[in-house]
Every structure is written in C-alpha cells, then in structure tokens.
Amino acid sequence: MRRRTTEVEDLLRLHAPQVLGALVRRYGHFGAAEDAVQEALLAAARQWPDEGLPENPRGWLIKVASRRLMDQLRADEARRRREEDAARLAPRDAFTAPPPGESRAPADDDTLTLLFLCCRPELTAAAQVALTLRAVGGLTTAEIARAHLVPEATMAQRISRAKAKIKGAPFRQPGPGDRDARLAVVLQVLYLIFNEGYTATSGAALHRADLAREAIRLTRSVRRLLPREGPVTGLLALMLLTEARSAARTGPHGELIPLDEQDRARWDRQAIDEGTALVEEALSQGPPGAYQLQAAIAALHDEADEPDSTDWPQILALYDVLVRHTPEPMAELGRAVAYAMVHGPRAGLRELAALEDGLKGHYRLEAVRAHLLERAGDTGLARAAYQLAAQGTLSGPEAHYLRTRAARLAP
C-alpha cells in the first residue's frame, strides 16, 4: 500500500505543472487556478491509492481542477463577467473525460513557463522558493511549511502575497532580451531548494531528503526542456554528485560525519556515474560557469576512493577559475580549504585572513579556521574557534559536531 501511495505521489508531482499550465492557458486566473489544482491533487491523493489510477491521470486532474476553478469563479460575484467569458471560451467538451490515452493538455510542457512565472524578479527569494514548490512541485502548503520549519499559516500568507504580486502577469516565457537573466534566477531558486534540503539551515535534522529530491526532479524537468544549456546540465550534475554522499553524511543518531571520515562504500555510485557524465557534457556546452565548475569539483571529490587520493591540486585550479568567474564568499572559502590541502594549514590560514570582511561573523568561517588551526597544532585556538562556530549555527547536527570537536581538544 505504501508503495502504491508513493507511486501516486510521484505521478501527481509529475502532472502538477502540466495541469496548472493547462488551466492558466485556458482560463487565466493564476491564483485561483493554482488553488483548484491543489484541490484536485488532494482529491487524487485520497482516491487513487484505494481506487486505482484512472485511465488518463492528467485528463482526470484537468477535469476535476477545471470544475473546482469554475466553482470558485461562480462563488465570487465580482468575477461573474470573467466567469462568463471563460465559459464561452472553453471547449464544448471541457468538462467531459477525454478518451483513454488522450489528453486535452497542450502539447508543450508548461513547466518552464511556470518556473519563469514563479521566479519573477519582483518576488523575494523566499517567496520564489515557496511558490515554486507549490505551483511547480505540487507540494501542499503544509508540506512546504514543515520543510521550512514555519507555521502553516505563515507559509500560506507568504504564498498568498506572492500570488497577489504576480496577478495579471502574462503566462509566457520571457523574450530573448531577458531570458538568460530569468533562467539564472530559476536555477538559483532550484539551487536554494536543494541546498536547504542537503544541509538544513536550522532544526534537528541535517538532511531534508524530500526537498533535495524535489530540487533534483525539477532540475531534471528543466534540463529535459533545455538539454543544451550548460548551466542547467551543470546544476543537475552538481546536485546528483552532492546528493550521492547523503547516506554517509550522518551516523546512527543523526550526527554529522565530515567528508574525509565518511564510509565511501555508502556513496551512491549510480548517481556519481550519471553526475560525472553530465559534468563532461556540461563542460562541452560552452564556457564553464559557476554550476559547471562546482560540479567538476564535486566530481573530483566523488571519484576519490579514499581521502588521501583526492586530487587537491586540480580542485584548487578549478576553485581559482570559479572565484574569478564568481567572486562569492562561500566559493572563496572553499578555495581557502583547497589551498590549505595543497600548501599546508598555515598557508590556508593566511588565505582565510583575507576573507574576514566578506564572511565576518559567519560560523562557517570559524569552522574552517578551527579545522586548519587543529591541523597546524594550535589546539587552544582551534578549540575556541570550534566553540565560536557552534554558537553561530542554528543546525543541531552541525552544532553538536563542532562542540564535539572542541571537547576532543580540551587539555
């Protein structure tokens, strides 16, 4: 029964953006259409595991969602004129089930159009993530709220405000003039979702597998539509190569296990093989950008059978290119670690000192400093840095790991 439920959930998430796209194209009213699709998804989640899948799942969802949408429009007196316009424009057979194997959904996949709509620049990053997970990912408001550790009412307000801001926005992909910039925002949102899933910024769990898997699924959808875009291919490769280590990142009690202490036999070799092949493909799709370079670095880590066989000089060379391309503080912090692995901990500490302004007060800076001080033999300073880092993180597993490292260095 659980397996059937999981299959239904996967099917619903696959069809969610296509059903929403069909309704928005036909009737407009993004906010009302999205609510109607959510109701149809919930109805399917309740019925299908017990009653079995309909012959045409997507057609079933479109039919149910269309009825719910029209019910909503009829209930709103102020929208009566729009309802009448939508009814006149609707196909004569709009509310009858299509024949088996057929669908009235448009031939084009609306996933990318919906992503562009959910990631419009007037929305905050938090709103973009929430709206993407709901409208494109098919998650309920309660699921998104749990993933972000906020009350459901708070998340509902966030999503409602986001829908209000994009009300009236045209349902179409951006023109050539701003397409690349908008695609960059879409990829950034997907990367934010993945990062929050892979290493939760707060709470008792280090890893939120549902968010990480959803980010990978959505990125696969984007790549299916844009197979020759290097950044898209690179981002998918980066996610797969990073997520491949997830099973070995925590111990039996949820404690964090650092990369150099992980049991590499537990890494997902199938994901690593796919990710490595995608890296090679991404690097052939034009000049390498940030995602392609980060994926190449992740591939070098994953290809090492043991920590001592890691190709740190090549990783450092890639970081040198990355920080020139994207001078972002976390990339520079990663380069400082690679520099230390090649030239020694003292040299790494000198590189770290140059990052004080951009990362001052960030717990990751102190955690790296502690690690390098420990390797250099300065146990007292290392212990203090570990303790400072532990105070700065909201993640329970990370804080426990840092305090444990500090305790090991006690005199």
Side-chain angles (χ1 to χ4, degrees):
M1 181 64 182
R2 176 57 194 165
R3 180 179 178 183
R4 181 184 295 177
T5 301
T6 301
E7 291 174 352
V8 167
E9 291 173 351
D10 291 343
L11 187 63
L12 292 177
R13 289 183 179 177
L14 172 66
H15 287 311
Q18 300 167 14
V19 175
L20 178 57
L23 261 67
V24 175
R25 284 184 184 278
R26 184 180 295 170
Y27 304 114
H29 306 291
F30 174 86
E34 200 275 329
D35 289 338
V37 171
Q38 284 291 320
E39 291 186 28
L41 294 174
L42 289 172
R46 288 192 298 266
Q47 296 177 33
W48 292 1
D50 295 329
E51 301 176 6
L53 298 178
E55 291 182 341
N56 182 358
R58 184 167 60 174
W60 188 98
L61 289 167
I62 291 174
K63 173 185 174 182
V64 172
S66 295
R67 286 176 171 171
R68 300 291 171 89
L69 175 59
M70 297 308 293
D71 287 344
Q72 290 179 50
L73 295 179
R74 290 191 184 97
D76 189 344
E77 189 67 25
R79 294 180 179 175
R80 184 170 299 278
R81 186 179 299 276
R82 296 180 188 175
E83 175 208 347
E84 292 170 353
D85 291 341
R88 283 195 299 271
L89 292 173
R92 185 173 301 174
D93 60 348
F95 305 121
T96 59
E102 295 184 12
S103 171
R104 295 197 188 92
D108 296 334
D109 191 327
D110 287 316
T111 300
L112 191 59
T113 305
L114 284 170
L115 279 168
F116 281 125
L117 185 63
C118 293
C119 297
R120 290 182 66 86
E122 58 263 37
L123 299 178
T124 65
Q128 290 170 340
V129 168
L131 196 57
T132 296
L133 287 173
R134 180 168 160 110
V136 188
L139 276 66
T140 66
T141 303
E143 288 173 325
I144 301 169
R146 283 197 300 272
H148 288 82
L149 302 180
V150 300
E152 184 176 350
T154 300
M155 186 56 68
Q157 290 177 351
R158 184 179 300 173
I159 293 173
S160 179
R161 287 194 296 267
K163 289 194 289 187
K165 279 192 174 182
I166 65 172
K167 183 178 180 180
F171 187 70
R172 62 171 181 265
Q173 294 193 26
D178 63 345
R179 178 188 173 281
D180 289 346
R182 291 282 296 281
L183 178 61
V185 174
V186 167
L187 297 183
Q188 183 182 32
V189 168
L190 295 177
Y191 193 31
L192 285 172
I193 295 171
F194 176 79
N195 281 340
E196 182 61 28
Y198 189 71
T199 303
T201 54
S202 60
L206 179 71
H207 185 230
R208 295 177 187 161
D210 55 340
L211 278 183
R213 285 196 300 265
E214 185 61 22
I216 291 172
R217 187 186 72 82
L218 291 174
T219 307
R220 284 191 188 279
S221 296
V222 176
R223 183 174 181 271
R224 187 180 68 250
L225 299 169
L226 301 172
R228 288 178 290 278
E229 290 283 348
V232 178
T233 305
L235 179 57
L236 179 58
L238 174 58
M239 290 179 178
L240 290 170
L241 291 164
T242 305
E243 181 66 10
R245 311 179 204 130
S246 60
R249 290 179 70 226
T250 54
H253 303 294
E255 66 273 18
L256 185 151
I257 301 176
L259 181 64
D260 59 354
E261 297 177 17
Q262 290 176 14
D263 178 3
R264 300 184 178 216
R266 300 185 64 197
W267 288 2
D268 185 342
R269 301 311 308 183
Q270 184 176 353
I272 291 172
D273 291 343
E274 181 185 1
T276 301
L278 286 172
V279 170
E280 296 176 0
E281 185 176 339
L283 292 175
S284 70
Q285 293 175 328
Y291 296 126
Q292 297 96 306
L293 292 168
Q294 290 180 78
I297 291 169
L300 288 172
H301 280 296
D302 288 7
E303 290 170 347
D305 294 331
E306 55 186 21
D308 290 343
S309 64
T310 303
D311 190 348
W312 284 107
Q314 182 63 26
I315 289 175
L316 177 58
L318 287 168
Y319 266 119
D320 284 338
V321 178
L322 177 61
V323 297
R324 286 198 298 270
H325 181 277
T326 310
E328 192 267 334
M330 286 302 163
E332 294 173 338
L333 187 61
R335 180 191 172 278
V337 173
Y339 195 89
M341 298 303 294
V342 174
H343 300 290
R346 296 287 180 194
L349 287 166
R350 289 193 292 272
E351 293 293 313
L352 211 61
L355 306 180
E356 290 283 355
D357 290 341
L359 286 168
K360 188 173 181 61
H362 198 290
Y363 80 95
R364 291 195 186 278
L365 177 68
E366 296 303 326
V368 171
R369 192 197 315 277
H371 175 67
L372 297 183
L373 286 168
E374 182 179 359
R375 289 188 61 220
D378 294 337
T379 56
L381 293 174
R383 184 172 67 255
Y386 276 128
Q387 291 170 339
L388 188 59
Q391 294 170 8
T393 179
L394 298 176
S395 167
E398 285 187 326
H400 178 266
Y401 166 77
L402 294 165
R403 287 194 296 266
T404 300
R405 298 291 297 203
R408 289 178 184 173
L409 299 178

